[in-house]
Amino acid sequence: MSYVDLAPSARELQDVRYLFTDIDDTLTTEGKLLPQTFEALWDLSRAGIAVVPVTGGSAGWCEHIVRAWPVAAVIGESGAYCVTRRDGDVVFDFWEDGVLQGERQRRHLQAIKALITQKSRPFRIAHDQVFRLADVAIDIQGHDPHEVEDLASSIRAMGGTVAISSIHINTWIGDYNKRSMSERVLTGLFGVDPTETPTVTAFVGDSRNDAPMFGFIRNSFGVNNIIPVLPHLQFAPKWVSSQPAGLGFADIARSILHAVGEVSQ
């Protein structure tokens, strides 16, 4: 358990009961879920810590995760909905009416397709767009950061909300994000008093679209691959692991588990 600069104390983490986490390049390492990372998720679950992935990932991805991983819920498509298991069924609770959000997505997708074809180096709609219910995802890997910023600005000018991850521009029509849905999940699903949020929650992330969560959750962590984007964040993590991606998450999980007394020193 090693950190860049500051390290968390056991006292700061001893009351954590809800761990929110990004997925791509935070839980995954080069697109894969390492055994150490998956074991860390199980260790957290066995210790009574509710893990909630908060992702820009698609509904198809979220359905798999809530069925197969040891998580309490999944927040998908940057806050468009929360996915849970209830009496064996997978349930999607949308930020607004699901039909309304779907209709907005259909119109927005057509506008985005028209926009990206105008660029000198056209972007591609993400391959998993067909599995999305509320947002539009655009692949950005291989594009210069200035090209990504230019496209993001054009989308905002159209009235779209934009979040930039390590792999996608995610864009949607609606007044929500990772933070707002996480707040709703804490109070509505878990029954957490907002005054307790600073002590009972933690968050792990790696990219620019995690900034709202870094600003919301006091016990916030970045995995090491966040370092290049730190200057671009409105809100930065309090602590940064010396390990990248899934190995960093596993290290952070061990810190939390030590603090809550579930792992022997």
Side-chain angles (χ1 to χ4, degrees):
M1 296 180 291
S2 58
Y3 292 86
V4 177
D5 298 326
L6 296 174
S9 68
R11 182 181 296 274
E12 290 171 295
L13 303 179
Q14 64 185 359
D15 295 320
V16 169
R17 294 296 179 268
Y18 305 94
L19 177 60
F20 293 78
T21 178
D22 179 58
I23 294 179
D24 291 306
D25 297 320
T26 298
L27 287 178
T28 62
T29 303
E30 297 182 357
K32 302 294 184 181
L33 191 63
L34 299 178
Q36 301 97 312
T37 313
F38 199 51
E39 184 63 28
L41 291 173
W42 275 106
D43 288 342
L44 290 161
S45 178
R46 286 190 286 256
I49 295 172
V51 179
V52 181
V54 187
T55 178
S58 69
W61 187 219
C62 294
E63 170 127 358
H64 160 74
I65 290 170
V66 81
R67 287 185 183 276
W69 294 15
V71 300
V74 185
I75 293 171
E77 295 184 39
S78 302
Y81 46 74
C82 174
V83 191
T84 53
R85 293 288 299 275
R86 298 178 194 165
D87 300 323
D89 295 328
V90 174
V91 179
F92 281 72
D93 291 311
F94 285 83
W95 179 257
E96 296 178 85
D97 176 75
V99 174
L100 172 63
Q101 289 185 230
E103 180 57 34
R104 287 174 177 166
Q105 181 211 44
R106 285 187 286 274
R107 294 196 301 266
H108 197 44
L109 177 59
Q110 293 307 309
I112 295 297
K113 285 180 176 178
L115 176 64
I116 63 178
T117 59
Q118 300 171 10
K119 300 298 179 182
S120 57
R121 290 188 61 219
F123 287 76
R124 295 187 305 173
I125 299 296
H127 71 280
D128 67 348
Q129 184 63 46
V130 67
F131 302 113
R132 294 178 177 272
L133 300 178
D135 81 348
V136 178
I138 305 160
D139 288 332
I140 62 173
Q141 290 181 317
H143 285 271
D144 182 272
H146 295 292
E147 295 176 322
V148 174
E149 282 298 334
D150 177 68
L151 178 57
S153 295
S154 297
I155 295 171
R156 292 187 188 102
M158 294 166 44
T161 301
V162 172
I164 303 173
S165 74
S166 57
I167 59 173
H168 290 143
I169 286 177
N170 294 94
T171 177
W172 61 92
I173 304 297
D175 186 22
Y176 59 83
N177 59 22
K178 288 184 173 185
R179 171 177 176 162
S180 56
M181 183 56 91
S182 296
E183 290 182 277
R184 181 180 290 186
V185 166
L186 276 169
T187 58
L189 180 62
F190 298 131
V192 174
D193 187 313
T195 62
E196 298 178 348
T197 296
T199 57
V200 301
T201 60
F203 174 72
V204 189
D206 79 293
S207 64
R208 293 168 61 180
N209 68 341
D210 294 319
M213 293 296 289
F214 293 138
F216 170 45
I217 292 183
R218 184 178 71 188
N219 297 317
S220 61
F221 297 84
V223 290
N224 192 259
N225 39 297
I226 199 173
I227 290 176
V229 302
L230 286 176
H232 306 290
L233 298 180
Q234 180 182 6
F235 301 104
K238 186 174 182 179
W239 304 292
V240 176
S241 173
S242 63
Q243 296 294 317
L247 294 178
F249 177 86
D251 230 13
I252 292 162
R254 283 193 290 272
S255 293
I256 295 171
L257 289 167
H258 276 295
V260 301
E262 295 296 333
V263 178
S264 58
Q265 297 286 342

